[in-house]
């Protein structure tokens, strides 16, 4: 039987990177919450034939392009361990930019009412609630299956978020201090879609230019924000200028974009100033 260190080396020769090799091995070993330090401390432990057999099944799935998060069933986001499956997008570090911004704009009103549209796994809504418990956080998704994942995450983490089913703001009532969303924004003919084939397509694509859902959200938000409230949207790497233009055309003020850790304009938003006031 090979040792843990030998197994990791073997996985890399099969084409996996080091991070994926470690995550899949920990999953096969029944140590999903352990990490690199645990593996180093047990590097000479032997890996049983049963574990090796399970591991090879995971490796085959990963080499076929399936995200590691779906294989192991969880993903870290904003310090939270979220359960995920193929009914929801895998939470990505880029989206933490949106969470940071939402926390910034709600700082003056710690008990602000905030809604996360297209919540998926609940990543944004749960990160907001976990970081600032006084916020009144709601989350909406059109998919019943996605809502089940988000609600299970909220219950497991002990976070009081209100969930509802609907199409964007039609699934909510009243007005908000902040509306946040990571909606579908990929063009229907985008060449990168085949690499995302394991993730729910309805959560990825939005028309010929990728902006169809963003247009709907912007239009709805003009009647659902408190004066001075913010609409914050994640979008594609090359869509910031277009999203800012849509926000300005709808009457939003203080329109701006924020960069992710890679320096890409990943989110754009604006503040609603009621023209009748």
């Amino acid at each position: 039987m090979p040792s843990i260190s030998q197994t990791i080396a073997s996985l890399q020769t099969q084409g996996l990177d080091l991070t994926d090799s470690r995550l899949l091995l920990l999953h096969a070993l029944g140590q999903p919450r352990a990490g690199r330090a645990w593996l180093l401390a047990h590097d000479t432990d032997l890996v049983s034939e049963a574990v090796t057999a399970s591991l090879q099944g995971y490796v085959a799935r990963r080499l076929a392009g399936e995200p590691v998060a779906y294989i192991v069933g969880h993903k870290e986001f904003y310090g939270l361990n979220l359960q995920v499956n193929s009914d929801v997008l895998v939470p990505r570090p880029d989206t933490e930019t949106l969470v940071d911004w939402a926390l910034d704009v709600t700082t003056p009103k710690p008990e602000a009412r905030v809604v996360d549209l297209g919540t998926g796994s609940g990543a944004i809504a749960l990160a907001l609630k976990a970081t600032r418990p006084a916020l009144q956080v709601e989350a909406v998704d059109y998919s019943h299956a996605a809502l089940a994942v988000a609600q299970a995450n909220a219950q497991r983490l002990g976070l009081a978020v209100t969930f509802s089913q609907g199409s964007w703001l039609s699934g909510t009532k009243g007005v908000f201090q902040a509306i946040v969303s990571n909606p579908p924004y990929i063009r229907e003919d985008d060449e990168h879609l085949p690499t995302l084939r394991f993730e729910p397509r309805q959560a990825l694509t939005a028309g010929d230019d990728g902006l169809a859902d963003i247009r709907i959200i912007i239009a709805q938000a003009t009647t659902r924000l408190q004066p001075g409230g913010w609409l914050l949207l994640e979008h594609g790497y090359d869509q910031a200028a277009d999203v800012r233009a849509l926000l300005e055309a709808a009457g939003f003020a203080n329109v701006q974009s924020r960069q992710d850790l890679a320096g890409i304009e990943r989110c754009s938003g604006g503040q609603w100033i009621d023209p009748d006031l």
Side-chain angles (χ1 to χ4, degrees):
M1 292 186 291
S3 66
I4 281 180
S5 60
Q6 289 171 332
T7 299
I8 292 174
S10 174
L11 294 178
Q12 291 180 270
T13 63
Q14 294 180 57
L16 296 185
D17 64 28
L18 182 57
T19 298
D20 287 356
S21 299
R22 288 170 173 163
L23 288 171
L24 293 180
L25 178 55
L26 287 169
H27 183 59
L29 288 167
Q31 296 286 344
R33 298 294 293 169
R36 177 174 176 269
W38 187 94
L39 290 170
L40 289 173
H42 294 81
D43 66 338
T44 59
D45 290 5
L46 298 181
V47 179
S48 71
E49 292 182 0
V51 168
T52 298
S54 296
L55 182 59
Q56 286 306 311
Y58 303 148
V59 170
R61 291 167 63 184
R62 181 65 188 123
L63 292 177
E66 186 173 354
V68 170
Y70 289 162
I71 300 172
V72 302
H74 62 90
K75 178 71 174 180
E76 291 285 331
F77 179 83
Y78 220 83
L80 302 176
N81 186 44
L82 301 176
Q83 294 178 349
V84 297
N85 61 30
S86 58
D87 292 319
V88 299
L89 294 181
V90 176
R92 290 165 168 81
D94 295 342
T95 304
E96 295 191 357
T97 302
L98 190 62
V99 175
D100 289 339
W101 198 356
L103 291 169
D104 287 347
V105 301
T106 55
T107 295
K109 297 185 177 181
E111 297 183 0
R113 189 173 181 226
V114 183
V115 64
D116 169 27
L117 303 180
T119 194
S121 65
I124 295 170
L126 296 173
L128 291 172
K129 189 65 176 180
T131 306
R132 192 170 295 155
L135 288 174
Q136 302 175 62
V137 182
E138 301 181 27
V140 180
D141 207 289
Y142 188 75
S143 165
H144 290 282
L147 280 175
V149 174
Q151 289 172 314
N153 279 322
Q155 184 173 14
R156 183 173 49 83
L157 295 168
L159 296 171
V161 170
T162 300
F163 294 94
S164 57
Q165 190 275 336
S167 177
W168 307 127
L169 284 162
S170 66
T172 67
K173 296 179 180 179
V175 294
F176 299 91
Q177 180 62 29
I179 297 170
V180 298
S181 183
N182 176 18
Y185 53 71
I186 298 176
R187 297 186 304 274
E188 296 284 356
D189 62 351
D190 192 285
E191 61 184 8
H192 300 103
L193 275 176
T195 66
L196 301 170
R197 64 189 181 279
F198 290 93
E199 300 188 68
R201 190 180 180 95
Q202 71 272 16
L204 292 168
T205 60
D208 293 340
D209 63 358
L211 299 173
D213 288 310
I214 286 176
R215 290 189 182 91
I216 293 171
I217 293 170
I218 290 174
Q220 291 182 350
T222 59
T223 61
R224 303 299 300 281
L225 280 169
Q226 297 175 6
W230 286 83
L231 172 61
L232 308 177
L233 300 162
E234 182 172 332
H235 49 67
Y237 71 95
D238 59 351
Q239 294 175 326
D242 289 334
V243 175
R244 288 195 301 268
L246 290 171
L247 288 163
E248 290 169 350
F252 283 85
N254 299 322
V255 173
Q256 56 194 277
S257 297
R258 286 206 177 182
Q259 298 179 347
D260 60 22
L261 293 175
I264 295 169
E265 289 185 318
R266 179 60 57 186
C267 305
S268 295
Q271 191 173 26
W272 183 246
I273 308 299
D274 192 331
D276 296 327
L277 295 180

